[in-house]
């Protein structure tokens, strides 16, 4: 079994898109764990689906695991891949080292544009809107120690020239996210994307 841990902070629509795609393909892969940095809709959904959930924090907090503890849990669970699906905290360097080239992230813009600290969720779409871009899109990339920086695995753009608000851009980009994230994960499972190169 190919075990995936999905990290979330919010609504969890990307987590669900991935869950549905794995289910539909009756793949030899499963979302074995959902990890969050806060209580959020995605955690509720994961619980409903019977998926193990964990909270993680880089500070010491009651009921939260440290990244070191989480690392042990995920290693014991034979985790093959970690997917950041709207996870809004920076992953500590030591954790990135422990899962080198085994962590991927979905970003709601055409990287390397609109990246870095503070560039997440609606902030990204506001910046894109204010710059009057004709296109935006989504990018899936390997996570390294620099924000939104690792090797790009997939990217797709969408025409946003008629979008009247950042929210409208978010909607169009989200549609793409729900397509390219499951696609990349499928290719990784099938060995069609080699994360080590
Ligand atoms: C998604 O748009 C994702 O790309 C973004 O947060 C949203 C989460 O939505 N992630 C980032 O901005 C990370 N830099 P979801 O919880 O419905 O999947």
């Amino acid at each position: 079994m190919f075990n995936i841990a999905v990290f979330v902070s919010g609504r969890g629509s990307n987590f669900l898109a991935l869950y549905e795609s794995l289910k539909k393909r009756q793949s030899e892969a499963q979302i074995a764990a959902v990890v969050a940095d806060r209580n959020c809709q995605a955690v509720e959904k994961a619980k409903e689906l019977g998926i193990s959930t964990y909270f993680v924090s880089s500070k010491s907090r009651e009921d939260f695991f440290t990244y070191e503890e989480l690392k042990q849990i995920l290693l014991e669970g034979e985790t093959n891949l970690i997917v950041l699906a709207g996870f809004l905290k920076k992953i500590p360097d030591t954790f990135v080292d422990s899962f080198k080239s085994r962590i991927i992230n979905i970003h709601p813009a055409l990287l390397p544009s609109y990246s870095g600290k503070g560039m997440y969720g609606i902030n990204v779409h506001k910046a894109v809107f204010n710059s009057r871009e004709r296109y935006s899109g989504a990018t899936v990339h390997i996570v390294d120690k620099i924000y939104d920086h690792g090797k790009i695995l997939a990217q797709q753009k969408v025409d946003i020239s008629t979008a009247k608000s950042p929210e409208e851009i978010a909607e169009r980009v989200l549609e793409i996210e729900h397509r390219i994230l499951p696609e990349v994960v499928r290719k990784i499972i099938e060995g069609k994307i080699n994360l080590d190169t």
Side-chain angles (χ1 to χ4, degrees):
M1 186 56 89
F2 187 100
N3 292 312
I4 302 170
V6 181
F7 284 35
V8 294
S9 297
R11 166 183 61 181
S13 70
N14 277 290
F15 148 58
L16 285 175
L18 181 57
Y19 175 85
E20 290 301 332
S21 122
L22 294 172
K23 201 170 87 178
K24 200 155 62 194
R25 294 181 171 273
Q26 296 179 323
S27 115
E28 280 300 299
Q30 63 173 353
I31 298 177
V34 164
V35 175
D37 64 328
R38 65 195 76 181
N39 222 332
C40 58
Q41 257 176 284
V43 168
E44 294 314 312
K45 200 70 210 171
K47 283 185 186 158
E48 277 171 33
L49 293 168
I51 299 170
S52 304
T53 58
Y54 306 90
F55 289 107
V56 69
S57 172
S58 41
K59 298 187 188 112
S60 149
R61 280 180 72 177
E62 205 181 325
D63 297 332
F64 278 60
F65 289 106
T66 63
Y67 275 92
E68 192 51 37
E69 290 164 339
L70 181 67
K71 172 184 146 186
Q72 291 311 326
I73 292 168
L74 296 183
L75 289 177
E76 275 162 29
E78 298 182 350
T79 306
N80 301 90
L81 179 71
I82 294 173
V83 177
L84 309 187
F87 188 69
L88 301 183
K89 289 269 164 58
K90 189 167 186 300
I91 302 286
D93 289 355
T94 51
F95 193 87
V96 173
D97 278 336
S98 306
F99 293 94
K100 198 165 175 333
S101 297
R102 289 291 174 277
I103 310 176
I104 64 170
N105 178 47
I106 177 104
H107 186 76
L110 296 170
L111 290 179
S113 300
Y114 302 100
S115 64
K117 199 166 164 45
M119 273 297 167
Y120 57 82
I122 197 68
N123 295 350
V124 176
H125 306 302
K126 280 181 182 162
V128 169
F129 183 73
N130 291 335
S131 300
R132 298 192 168 76
E133 297 282 2
R134 232 182 109 70
Y135 293 97
S136 189
T139 307
V140 180
H141 66 96
I142 296 178
V143 171
D144 64 13
K145 292 175 186 169
I146 304 166
Y147 261 121
D148 303 324
H149 172 266
K151 182 184 168 190
I152 291 175
L153 302 174
Q155 185 165 66
Q156 199 178 321
K157 64 179 187 175
V158 61
D159 190 337
I160 51 156
S161 53
T162 59
K164 303 260 178 307
S165 65
E167 289 71 21
E168 212 176 303
I169 297 175
E171 229 171 84
R172 293 188 196 180
V173 170
L174 197 63
E175 232 174 83
I176 288 180
E177 295 185 44
H178 292 170
R179 212 166 34 233
I180 67 169
L181 182 63
E183 216 168 85
V184 167
V185 170
R186 179 174 50 79
K187 286 185 182 161
I188 293 172
I189 296 166
E190 292 172 354
K192 290 181 181 154
I193 288 180
N194 185 356
L195 295 175
D196 292 316
T197 55

